[in-house]
Structure formats: C-alpha cells, structure tokens
Amino acid sequence: MVVWTDFERTAIQDIFSKIDYAVVGQAAFSRCLIVYPWTKRYFGGFGNLYNAAAITSNPRVASHGKVIMEALEKAVKDMDNIKATYAELSALHSEKLQVDPDNFMLLGHCLTIVVASQLGKAFTPEVHAAFQKFLAVVVSSLRKQYY
Amino acid sequence: MSLSGKDKTVVKNFWAKVAPKSAEIGGEALGRMLTAYPQTKTYFAHWSDLSPSSAQVKKHGATIMAAIGDAVSKIDDLTGSLSALSELHAFKLRVDPANFRILAHNLILCMGMFFPADFTPEVHLSVDKFLQNLALALSEKYR
C-alpha cells in the first residue's frame, strides 16, 4: 500500500492543476521520441517521425501526448487506488501494445524535465521528490500485469 | 551510442552557455538527487547535512560539475582523461554505476530548468549521450 503524506498529495494535485495537458503532453512525448529514438518502435502508425522537426510538428504525437496526460490525471484523482485504476491499461500495454516496461520511466524522465521547466522555482526538490514517487507508483502499476 | 562529431559540437556549445552557472547547477542537481532518490544518500553518510541547502552538498555538486566540464574539453578521449577518477570510483568509493544514470538525470533536469530555451530536445539528446559515455568511462576500471 502506498502511503502519501499530505505534502505529497497536495504537491501532485497542485502540479496537475497548473499544467496545460496539451502543451506538456506534446512536449514530453515528443522529447521522449527524440531523445530515446528506439521508443519510436511503438508508434509505426503515427506518420512522419523521421527527425526532431517532424516529431515536433506531428499532430498525432501532439494528440497522443494529451491522451497520456489525461490518463495520468486518473491516477491523480484517486491516488490511493492507482494499481486498480491502471489494471486495464497495464494489460493493454503488456498484451496488446507489447511495450518494454523499461520505457515507461524514459517517458517519466521527459515528463519530469518538461514539468520542471514549466514550473521553475516552484518545482522545489521536495516537490520533485513527490513527483518522482508518483511516477514510480504509476510505472509500478503499469508493470503489474506483465509476466 | 558513441558520440558523433555533431554531438561533440552540440555539447561543447551548450557547455559554453552553461559554464557561468555550472557550480549552481551541480549543487542543485546533487541536492535533488539526494532528495528525490533517497537510496543515493547511502554514499554520503559521512556528511552531517544532506538537504539541498547544505553547504557540503553545494560544494560537492560544484566539484562534480567542474570535473564534467573538464571532461567536455577532453571529449575526444573520455576513457583516458577519466582514468584516475574511474579508479577512485571503482576502488575507493565503490559507487554502483547505476547511480551515474540517476545523477545524469538530475543534471539534465537542472540544465533544463536553468536554460529552458537552449535545452531543446536535440541538445538534450547529445547531452544525454555525452553523460552516458562519461558514465561508461567512469566505470571503466570497475572490473
């Protein structure tokens, strides 16, 4: 059972209330595809992902970035039941999409960097630690159905 | 994932911009690593204060960044130029090399925070590769 301190709960909810899902989602997801190009393997149907410029201007990348943020919001809205919230998504990623779960943290890293750039000084080390913990719980829940 | 000529140029150019804030970035990155990845604190049990505001943390962060900056200037031979530091980390400090990646992530995060306009995805890519190669050179003497 994950135990969240009041500070952690507030910090996570605060972050998600401040960020624009479309902007942050697009920035984080496109950054992931650019910095870790092997992650492109899962998005063969997304059209032109040939180089950074193509990825940055790709509309499917942008809309999928937003989809990811909206899925993360589900965890934020029910922080005590993240494992249950993501049971279906975990099965999807393992059985249908067949994503190597080590990739989840790569996206997590990019998301952290984008959020940090957006929030600036407000993203203190303590808030950063809370966000890191949140991502670790999300990734762990997404890994649950893999075997 | 070895460094191309382009990667080296990108890293050197970006480092020139980063240099004035180098000590600050190093101190902040180390402080964040110790806070967000508490398992890394095990390597610094001999310090009295492991908080981000600690003078010890800031000083050591600056030391680390200075060494990285030096590596940038010797980017064509990372293994050779980091030989002594590799021996230190392998035989004396015995830091699990997995932690190099964690610190690299925090350094990248701070660079992104301090230089949001300059730290584009392309720069991020080259810097990430550089830090990975640096970590490899640093773990050269381990076994």
Side-chain angles (χ1 to χ4, degrees):
Chain A
M1 249 298 291
V2 185
V3 178
W4 302 102
T5 64
D6 288 337
F7 173 82
E8 286 165 346
R9 271 182 212 277
T10 312
I12 303 302
Q13 281 155 4
D14 204 48
I15 290 171
F16 276 80
S17 73
K18 285 196 173 112
I19 57 178
D20 180 322
Y21 290 2
V23 170
V24 169
Q26 190 273 342
F29 183 45
S30 59
R31 193 170 278 255
C32 184
L33 294 169
I34 294 167
V35 178
Y36 308 106
W38 54 94
T39 57
K40 287 192 271 189
R41 79 187 302 277
Y42 303 111
F43 303 99
F46 272 40
N48 187 359
L49 297 176
Y50 188 63
N51 54 28
I55 291 169
T56 312
S57 56
N58 186 311
R60 291 207 56 186
V61 169
S63 64
H64 197 65
K66 192 167 174 225
V67 163
I68 294 170
M69 295 309 293
E70 284 162 352
L72 284 171
E73 190 191 49
K74 290 191 182 136
V76 177
K77 291 204 152 116
D78 192 5
M79 286 174 71
D80 294 308
N81 287 299
I82 294 178
K83 203 163 43 176
T85 304
Y86 285 146
E88 240 181 81
L89 270 173
S90 179
L92 175 76
H93 282 77
S94 62
E95 286 158 31
K96 187 162 175 263
L97 304 175
Q98 288 171 331
V99 177
D100 179 341
D102 286 342
N103 287 272
F104 298 148
M105 237 340 161
L106 297 181
L107 180 58
H109 285 329
C110 290
L111 183 58
T112 310
I113 286 160
V114 170
V115 166
S117 300
Q118 291 261 313
L119 299 179
K121 286 285 164 202
F123 197 67
T124 63
E126 291 76 26
V127 169
H128 176 180
F131 194 63
Q132 193 54 45
K133 182 173 166 179
F134 172 73
L135 288 176
V137 173
V138 166
V139 168
S140 166
S141 306
L142 276 174
R143 290 183 91 117
K144 245 343 177 217
Q145 301 301 323
Y146 282 77
Y147 50 83
Chain B
M1 295 186 244
S2 52
L3 298 168
S4 66
K6 185 173 170 228
D7 287 320
K8 292 180 188 179
T9 309
V10 168
V11 170
K12 285 185 156 157
N13 288 344
F14 183 68
W15 216 265
K17 292 199 178 103
V18 160
K21 290 266 176 192
S22 168
E24 221 182 310
I25 288 173
E28 176 128 3
L30 190 62
R32 282 174 183 278
M33 183 185 82
L34 295 167
T35 311
Y37 301 85
Q39 70 269 25
T40 58
K41 289 197 279 191
T42 55
Y43 293 102
F44 302 98
H46 54 287
W47 286 352
S48 54
D49 184 0
L50 290 169
S51 69
S53 54
S54 151
Q56 289 163 314
V57 170
K58 287 183 182 169
K59 183 168 170 243
H60 197 62
T63 304
I64 293 171
M65 270 303 264
I68 296 176
D70 189 55
V72 172
S73 68
K74 296 169 181 157
I75 205 167
D76 291 313
D77 180 22
L78 288 173
T79 312
S81 55
L82 287 166
S83 178
L85 273 173
S86 182
E87 281 186 18
L88 175 75
H89 284 77
F91 303 125
K92 190 156 175 259
L93 305 175
R94 283 179 283 202
V95 177
D96 188 318
N99 293 286
F100 299 152
R101 181 176 276 202
I102 297 175
L103 180 57
H105 171 62
N106 284 280
L107 284 165
I108 280 171
L109 187 106
C110 288
M111 287 186 234
M113 284 179 78
F114 278 71
F115 297 92
D118 297 296
F119 200 64
T120 62
E122 290 97 319
V123 170
H124 178 171
L125 168 62
S126 295
V127 171
D128 193 67
K129 281 176 77 176
F130 166 66
L131 290 175
Q132 216 179 71
N133 277 272
L134 196 144
L136 207 59
L138 210 55
S139 34
E140 182 68 23
K141 295 280 185 338
Y142 271 64
R143 53 179 179 176

